[in-house]
Amino acid sequence: MSHKTLRDGAFAELDANRKRAVVLLFEDEKTDEQIAKEVNRSRTTLAKWKKDKKFQEAEREYRSLAIDSYVPDAIKEIHRLSTKAKSEMVRLQSSTTILNMAGYSANGDSPEKTKQEVRKLKADADLAELKVKQESSTGGDGLTVNIIKHGGVDDADS
């Protein structure tokens, strides 16, 4: 894999044998013994590399970039399944996945609806905090805030 980020990070700082080991470990098709042999090192040396912080960071970099490169094909496959799969359940699950990725939850919530709910919860919390402050400043005998629900909007009466 040749990517600009791999040329700038921990992966770039490794020697050729360690880079090859990172790739082989990610591919997960060989045993550690086979990988060690392929990079002309002992199994013990490979084990030491795997414990090294720089090697671990290089593994994370490589894994992240490799997986990112799979995303476009995965999305295309999900779309293909949502339109062409024979199973109705597969089509439904694929469509649900696409909607979730686009920011819509399975229960029909949209990002805007979620933001509105968060704003409402914050307003409720602000009113409750105001009530506590007013009660504490008057010793509990002062102004009382009553919350009355009207079509999802809170009114504060004093």
Side-chain angles (χ1 to χ4, degrees):
M1 167 179 282
S2 175
H3 192 280
K4 186 172 105 177
T5 306
L6 287 179
R7 288 180 266 172
D8 298 333
F11 186 84
E13 296 176 19
L14 298 179
D15 63 47
N17 285 329
R18 284 179 175 85
K19 287 178 183 176
R20 182 72 184 135
V22 165
V23 172
L24 292 170
L25 286 165
F26 173 78
E27 291 173 350
D28 198 28
E29 295 176 357
K30 298 181 178 188
T31 66
D32 282 2
E33 187 70 38
Q34 292 169 323
I35 292 170
K37 186 175 181 177
E38 188 163 328
V39 297
N40 301 313
R41 296 295 184 271
S42 69
R43 169 68 185 87
T44 305
T45 298
L46 179 61
K48 287 178 186 175
W49 288 355
K50 289 169 69 173
K51 292 178 184 176
D52 178 71
K53 298 265 187 228
K54 186 183 285 187
F55 189 87
Q56 292 171 355
E57 179 62 26
E59 285 185 295
R60 282 189 292 276
E61 285 176 10
Y62 186 85
R63 182 175 40 252
S64 176
L65 289 169
I67 290 170
D68 283 351
S69 72
Y70 302 156
V71 170
D73 290 336
I75 292 171
K76 288 176 191 172
E77 181 63 14
I78 293 168
H79 177 259
R80 186 192 68 74
L81 289 170
S82 73
T83 58
K84 298 191 180 349
K86 291 181 181 176
S87 165
E88 187 174 312
M89 183 56 75
V90 171
R91 289 192 312 273
L92 174 62
Q93 289 173 335
S94 301
S95 296
T96 301
T97 298
I98 291 169
L99 290 171
N100 286 336
M101 289 168 47
Y104 296 92
S105 70
N107 63 6
D109 288 349
S110 70
E112 185 56 37
K113 183 177 178 185
T114 301
K115 287 177 189 175
Q116 289 173 350
E117 290 172 357
V118 168
R119 284 193 299 268
K120 183 186 177 314
L121 289 171
K122 184 178 179 329
D124 289 346
D126 290 345
L127 285 172
E129 185 177 343
L130 176 63
K131 180 179 179 181
V132 169
K133 284 180 182 177
Q134 288 174 338
E135 286 178 357
S136 66
S137 68
T138 61
D141 296 331
L143 182 65
T144 302
V145 178
N146 295 314
I147 308 295
I148 303 170
K149 296 271 187 191
H150 290 286
V153 176
D154 292 342
D155 294 332
D157 294 341
S158 49

